[in-house]
Amino acid sequence: IHFYKRIMRYLKPSLVYRQLRPALGPRADFSTFVKVWKVVPSDLKICARTDYASLRFYSDEKVERPKGMDDKKPRLDLNKKVGPISWFNLGVSGVLIGVMMAFYYYARGLKEDAIAKERKKALGKAKIGGTFNLIDHNGNPAKSDDFLGKWIFLYFGFTHCPDICPEEMEKIAEVVDDLSVKAAGLGEVQPLFITVDPKRDGVKEVAEYVKEFHPRLIGLTGTEEQIKEACRAFRVYYSAGPEDDDEDYIVDHTIIVYLINPENEFVDYYGQTKDKDMIVNSTMMHMAKWKSAQGKGFSVFSK
């Protein structure tokens, strides 16, 4: 502790300054600075940036700009690429986008064709539709090949039906009239009626029945075996009920309107719950799709 006190006594600032004063030189004379401040003219403009210790004087004399100062600045070259975007890049991007869009629509077309083929295969597995060989209401032979090239609305019923068959036939007549106007350029529509009661529905009875609904409606009849084959082809169920005292009976049968395309292929069916507008819209859709498909490929009925 005594050694520490002795050392600190010799390290006092006053003592250290006395020892270093000869090496620092003479003391600064601030009186000369005051004299210079007094002789500064009063008409000069003085600007103080931070403090009065640093003074900056301005005069009316113009200072020339060094010649080489502007040459050192970088100038913008319009012909030089300044970024990743250019007309070449935009053109290449447009071509790539066009190729991608073309591939997208091509792939979508292939997918739609595949779906249509699968649906057609599914309908084919159901084995709905086929050929028939019957007699029309004029007594002339009529077979399914006679109606190739036309859209067919096919309904199975019987002339003694009290209410359901007449309602369905009237609905078909309205559908045919609407399609004649709305789908005139998509194809010709032909309604057909096949009886499931050949025992009572001969040529005369069928002729009197069909003329009550539509002038283009064709009625078909035949032997019991011929009717059975036609019903089997379209999976139509029918069964005659018991006879009453007047030997009258009701035939229970499938209530469906079949839509057949011009190539004699089953396309769709419409039950009793489908109204006229629903059948018209659905049929027009199928007609448009079929015509579009025929335009891409070959068909004996394509123009």
Side-chain angles (χ1 to χ4, degrees):
I1 295 174
H2 293 287
F3 177 78
Y4 173 76
K5 290 182 177 180
R6 188 178 302 176
I7 292 298
M8 292 303 297
R9 184 174 57 183
Y10 286 103
L11 291 179
K12 288 184 177 180
S14 59
L15 296 178
V16 174
Y17 177 73
R18 290 196 192 101
Q19 295 177 2
L20 294 178
R21 183 175 180 180
L24 295 177
R27 182 181 300 178
D29 188 5
F30 292 98
S31 61
T32 58
F33 175 79
V34 174
K35 292 179 180 180
V36 172
W37 173 259
K38 291 182 179 179
V39 299
V40 173
S42 61
D43 58 346
L44 291 180
K45 299 178 180 180
I46 302 176
C47 177
R49 283 299 181 98
T50 56
D51 54 9
Y52 291 101
S54 61
L55 302 179
R56 184 173 182 179
F57 300 93
Y58 294 88
S59 67
D60 297 334
E61 183 181 358
K62 184 177 180 181
V63 180
E64 297 292 337
R65 189 180 185 86
K67 296 182 179 180
M69 183 175 293
D70 294 336
D71 297 338
K72 296 180 181 180
K73 288 185 177 182
R75 296 184 178 180
L76 180 62
D77 188 1
L78 298 178
N79 297 325
K80 186 178 179 181
K81 297 180 180 179
V82 296
I85 300 177
S86 64
W87 288 111
F88 176 76
N89 292 341
L90 291 176
V92 172
S93 301
V95 172
L96 292 177
I97 292 174
V99 172
M100 293 174 63
M101 292 296 294
F103 178 77
Y104 167 75
Y105 285 110
Y106 174 74
R108 189 176 71 173
L110 292 179
K111 183 178 179 180
E112 291 178 354
D113 293 340
I115 292 175
K117 289 181 180 179
E118 291 296 330
R119 187 171 185 270
K120 190 174 181 180
K121 289 180 180 179
L123 294 175
K125 292 179 180 179
K127 295 182 180 180
I128 299 178
T131 60
F132 55 82
N133 191 1
L134 302 170
I135 300 173
D136 64 12
H137 63 270
N138 295 319
N140 300 320
K143 54 185 178 180
S144 55
D145 294 341
D146 297 337
F147 305 101
L148 290 174
K150 299 180 182 180
W151 288 87
I152 305 298
F153 283 113
L154 180 59
Y155 181 80
F156 291 83
F158 63 106
T159 61
H160 291 77
C161 183
D163 48 12
I164 296 178
C165 291
E167 291 176 358
E168 293 299 304
M169 298 309 301
E170 289 177 357
K171 183 168 62 177
I172 293 174
E174 294 177 357
V175 170
V176 172
D177 290 337
D178 283 3
L179 291 176
S180 300
V181 177
K182 297 180 180 180
L186 297 178
E188 183 181 356
V189 179
Q190 175 61 58
L192 297 179
F193 170 82
I194 297 180
T195 181
V196 293
D197 187 16
K199 182 178 178 180
R200 293 182 296 181
D201 294 341
V203 174
K204 181 180 178 181
E205 289 77 12
V206 173
E208 293 178 355
Y209 183 75
V210 297
K211 69 180 182 180
E212 297 179 1
F213 301 103
H214 200 277
R216 291 169 56 184
L217 178 60
I218 296 177
L220 301 174
T221 185
T223 64
E224 293 187 3
E225 187 62 29
Q226 290 174 331
I227 297 298
K228 186 182 296 184
E229 291 179 1
C231 292
R232 186 184 301 114
F234 288 89
R235 297 296 185 267
V236 174
Y237 162 80
Y238 69 100
S239 176
E243 297 181 358
D244 56 13
D245 296 337
D246 298 331
E247 297 182 354
D248 190 14
Y249 56 89
I250 299 295
V251 179
D252 186 20
H253 62 90
T254 303
I255 307 172
I256 285 179
V257 178
Y258 296 91
L259 178 63
I260 304 172
N261 67 13
E263 293 181 342
N264 195 29
E265 296 175 343
F266 168 76
V267 177
D268 209 339
Y269 68 93
Y270 308 105
Q272 193 176 2
T273 57
K274 300 292 184 179
D275 58 15
K276 180 201 69 173
D277 295 332
M278 297 172 66
I279 297 176
V280 169
N281 294 334
S282 176
T283 304
M284 289 179 63
M285 181 190 66
H286 288 300
M287 295 174 74
K289 285 185 177 181
W290 187 85
K291 188 173 183 178
S292 176
Q294 299 310 307
K296 297 179 182 179
F298 172 78
S299 175
V300 295
F301 305 108
S302 60
K303 298 182 181 180

